[in-house]
């Protein structure tokens, strides 16, 4: 059923284009009706689009110029929740939030692929610390692996720290403060969480769009709830490819192809949710 719809969308939106190279990077600026569709999932009858092209989305003129992330810049601030936290019971939190068992494995995998890192897990991942660290240390990569929610109501659009949910407006302020307080700013923000890229007509591409508008050059986020084990593997491959000197878009593409080649994770539910938004180099 997925392939049938994927081929129909390919024939409708991609096939009519008179010329496409056989490989390279496709950059999409999507309207609200298409922002919840992963373009890499489109299928030409033989291959998914992601098997031929690197794919990124943009917010048009609001994005920064693409810039290659060099190995010496692979310095990451990493934070996540692997246990039930007080923030899960906040009045504006959705009901039924559960632990994310793959967080610690994902963090361990990330650390192997970067030059240096500072990790804040569970009780150490609190909102005042996030504010302090981002404003005082020169991290080019911010990786958050936690729960997140997007809603048309700003107060219900949030990512979850240990002590409380951080609303989209607070998140926007944190990122703007970071980009204004350091020379380099945020080269890459990874929101490894549920539905972080989901947007609506009022806010393009959800929290990922907010991040790009606040000054992050590139953001990776997810369109739906993702499997912990396959996500940890994808992130391991992604950061290793970055360390090898590949562009962000190609590093993510190859990480997704790694899942496609694995019989356990080849279903699109495991790999298609991950989107790169902003600069693709």
């Amino acid at each position: 059923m997925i392939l049938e719809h994927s081929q129909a969308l390919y024939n409708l939106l991609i096939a009519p284009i008179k010329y496409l190279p056989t490989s390279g990077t496709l950059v999409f600026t999507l309207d609200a009706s298409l922002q919840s569709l992963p373009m890499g999932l489109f299928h030409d009858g033989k291959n998914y689009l992601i098997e031929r092209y690197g794919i990124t989305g943009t917010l048009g003129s609001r994005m920064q110029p693409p810039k290659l992330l060099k190995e010496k810049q692979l310095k990451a601030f990493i934070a996540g929740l692997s246990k039930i936290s007080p923030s899960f019971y906040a009045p504006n939190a959705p009901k039924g939030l559960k632990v994310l068992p793959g967080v610690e494995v994902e963090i361990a995998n990330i650390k192997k692929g970067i030059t240096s890192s500072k990790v804040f897990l569970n009780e150490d991942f609190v909102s005042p610390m996030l504010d302090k660290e981002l404003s005082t240390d020169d991290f080019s990569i911010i990786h958050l692996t936690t729960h997140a929610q997007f809603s048309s109501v700003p107060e219900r659009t949030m990512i979850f720290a240990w002590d409380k949910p951080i609303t989209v407006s607070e998140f926007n302020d944190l990122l703007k403060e970071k980009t204004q307080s350091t020379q380099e700013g945020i080269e890459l923000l990874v929101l490894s969480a549920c539905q972080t890229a989901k947007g609506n007509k009022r806010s393009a591409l959800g929290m990922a769009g907010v991040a790009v508008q606040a000054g992050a050059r590139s953001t990776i986020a997810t369109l739906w709830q993702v499997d912990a084990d396959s996500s940890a593997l994808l992130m391991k491959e992604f950061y290793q490819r970055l360390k090898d000197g590949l562009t962000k878009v190609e590093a993510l593409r190859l990480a997704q192809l790694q899942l496609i080649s694995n019989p356990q994770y080849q279903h699109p539910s495991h790999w298609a949710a991950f989107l790169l938004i902003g600069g693709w180099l």
Side-chain angles (χ1 to χ4, degrees):
M1 182 65 72
I2 291 178
L3 275 182
E4 181 180 340
H5 292 301
S6 297
Q7 290 177 28
L9 287 168
Y10 179 91
N11 291 333
L12 181 66
L13 299 174
I14 305 298
I17 299 174
K18 293 183 178 180
Y19 172 75
L20 277 178
T22 56
S23 62
T25 299
L26 301 182
V27 182
F28 291 91
T29 301
L30 301 173
D31 63 17
S33 62
L34 293 175
Q35 286 171 4
S36 294
L37 290 175
M39 299 293 109
L41 185 58
F42 290 2
H43 200 281
D44 65 4
K46 295 182 179 179
N47 301 105
Y48 291 111
L49 206 60
I50 196 69
E51 295 181 80
R52 295 173 55 196
Y53 304 100
I55 294 173
T56 185
T58 79
L59 299 179
S61 60
R62 287 172 286 182
M63 70 171 288
Q64 296 188 54
K67 180 181 177 182
L68 187 65
L69 188 61
K70 299 178 181 178
E71 183 176 354
K72 66 180 181 179
Q73 293 178 291
L74 298 180
K75 182 180 181 182
F77 171 92
I78 306 170
L81 298 180
S82 64
K83 300 191 299 188
I84 293 176
S85 78
S87 66
F88 289 12
Y89 303 103
N92 58 345
K95 295 181 180 180
L97 292 178
K98 299 179 180 179
V99 297
L100 299 170
V103 165
E104 294 186 33
V105 173
E106 180 175 319
I107 290 174
N109 287 340
I110 294 166
K111 291 177 65 177
K112 295 175 184 177
I114 57 179
T115 305
S116 63
S117 63
K118 189 177 283 190
V119 176
F120 296 86
L121 182 64
N122 296 323
E123 293 91 344
D124 294 328
F125 177 24
V126 292
S127 51
M129 173 280 307
L130 185 64
D131 188 8
K132 175 179 178 294
E133 290 292 332
L134 295 188
S135 61
T136 59
D137 211 332
D138 192 19
F139 299 104
S140 56
I141 299 173
I142 299 173
H143 187 109
L144 303 179
T145 174
T146 180
H147 279 295
Q149 173 179 272
F150 186 81
S151 168
S152 59
V153 180
E155 293 75 18
R156 298 188 66 83
T157 300
M158 64 195 81
I159 59 173
F160 286 79
W162 177 264
D163 55 331
K164 68 166 195 170
I166 299 172
T167 65
V168 66
S169 59
E170 293 172 321
F171 190 60
N172 181 59
D173 291 342
L174 281 172
L175 295 180
K176 282 186 175 179
E177 183 178 351
K178 163 65 176 173
T179 56
Q180 293 169 0
S181 63
T182 61
Q183 184 175 0
E184 293 296 329
I186 303 167
E187 291 296 324
L188 175 63
L189 172 68
V190 180
L191 298 168
S192 182
C194 302
Q195 297 182 319
T196 47
K198 186 178 180 182
N200 65 10
K201 293 181 180 180
R202 292 181 58 188
S203 183
L205 297 176
M207 295 199 70
V210 169
V212 171
Q213 293 179 61
R217 193 180 301 275
S218 308
T219 304
I220 290 178
T222 56
L223 279 171
W224 57 73
Q225 184 172 352
V226 287
D227 175 75
D229 292 336
S230 57
S231 296
L233 178 58
L234 181 140
M235 289 300 169
K236 178 183 178 181
E237 290 291 326
F238 171 72
Y239 280 102
Q240 184 57 56
R241 302 291 185 175
L242 280 186
K243 191 174 183 180
D244 292 340
L246 273 64
T247 62
K248 304 178 191 78
V249 68
E250 186 63 7
L252 180 59
R253 187 181 82 89
L254 293 179
Q256 290 173 300
L257 294 186
Q258 182 73 15
L259 296 188
I260 292 174
S261 67
N262 186 328
Q264 187 176 355
Y265 301 130
Q266 63 186 198
H267 192 277
S269 62
H270 291 286
W271 55 265
F274 292 90
L275 301 182
L276 174 65
I277 301 152
W280 53 90
L281 294 182

